[in-house]
Amino acid sequence: MHVRSTFVALALLAAGASVQANNLLDQLKEQAGAAVNSPGSNSSGGGSALSGLSLGGFKMPAIGSSTIGSAAGVLEYCVKNNYLGGDAASVKDKLLAKITGQKKQENDFASGAKGLLKGGDGKSLNLKGLSSKVKEKACDYVLKNATSLI
């Protein structure tokens, strides 16, 4: 009987720890979302102020001058799929004007328009497999970082 009571107590303890771990994970995800949406997250040069940010379990690629085409393409994807509005199309158009005639950047734009974000740090993220909420945050991340590249 004592062994059975001990087993039940351990099971309840494990269940409580699991709930705490899930709560901690939710808090971390919320903080990552807040970091994406916070002012001052613009980048300069080849890197990103938010490079390495984990968003919903996905590490965000660094956005910088070497990834203008990809960023513009992802903005196209985000606008087309209604994750972004407002000045996102204007930012995309200004970025496109910077890469006209640059074959690699134009190829990166085509990939970005299909939802593939390529970062200057060698990382990439395919938005197609993400939930709508994470896509929105990823699109916001790209817009905020791309705006600094204009």
Side-chain angles (χ1 to χ4, degrees):
M1 183 71 175
H2 180 63
V3 172
R4 186 178 211 183
S5 297
T6 303
F7 180 72
V8 170
L10 286 174
L12 290 172
L13 183 62
S18 177
V19 169
Q20 281 186 311
N22 285 338
N23 288 340
L24 179 59
L25 182 60
D26 289 341
Q27 289 173 356
L28 290 172
K29 286 179 181 179
E30 287 176 18
Q31 289 174 354
V36 168
N37 293 323
S38 69
S41 63
N42 292 338
S43 70
S44 59
S48 164
L50 292 178
S51 65
L53 172 70
S54 180
L55 180 62
F58 301 97
K59 192 165 184 169
M60 296 301 294
I63 297 175
S65 59
S66 66
T67 61
I68 291 175
S70 182
V74 170
L75 291 177
E76 170 88 3
Y77 174 87
C78 293
V79 169
K80 183 174 82 173
N81 290 290
N82 298 316
Y83 294 110
L84 288 176
D87 65 341
S90 172
V91 170
K92 177 206 59 153
D93 291 341
K94 290 174 184 175
L95 293 176
L96 279 175
K98 289 183 157 217
I99 65 165
T100 301
Q102 298 177 36
K103 196 66 172 163
K104 181 190 178 317
Q105 293 281 7
E106 289 175 351
N107 289 339
D108 287 348
F109 172 81
S111 295
K114 295 176 185 171
L116 181 63
L117 174 61
K118 295 180 183 177
D121 55 0
K123 295 182 180 6
S124 62
L125 176 67
N126 191 340
L127 276 65
K128 285 186 175 183
L130 304 177
S131 71
S132 292
K133 187 174 183 176
V134 175
K135 281 181 191 175
E136 285 178 30
K137 293 195 182 293
C139 288
D140 286 339
Y141 165 84
V142 173
L143 178 60
K144 288 179 181 185
N145 284 273
T147 301
S148 71
L149 300 173
I150 298 175

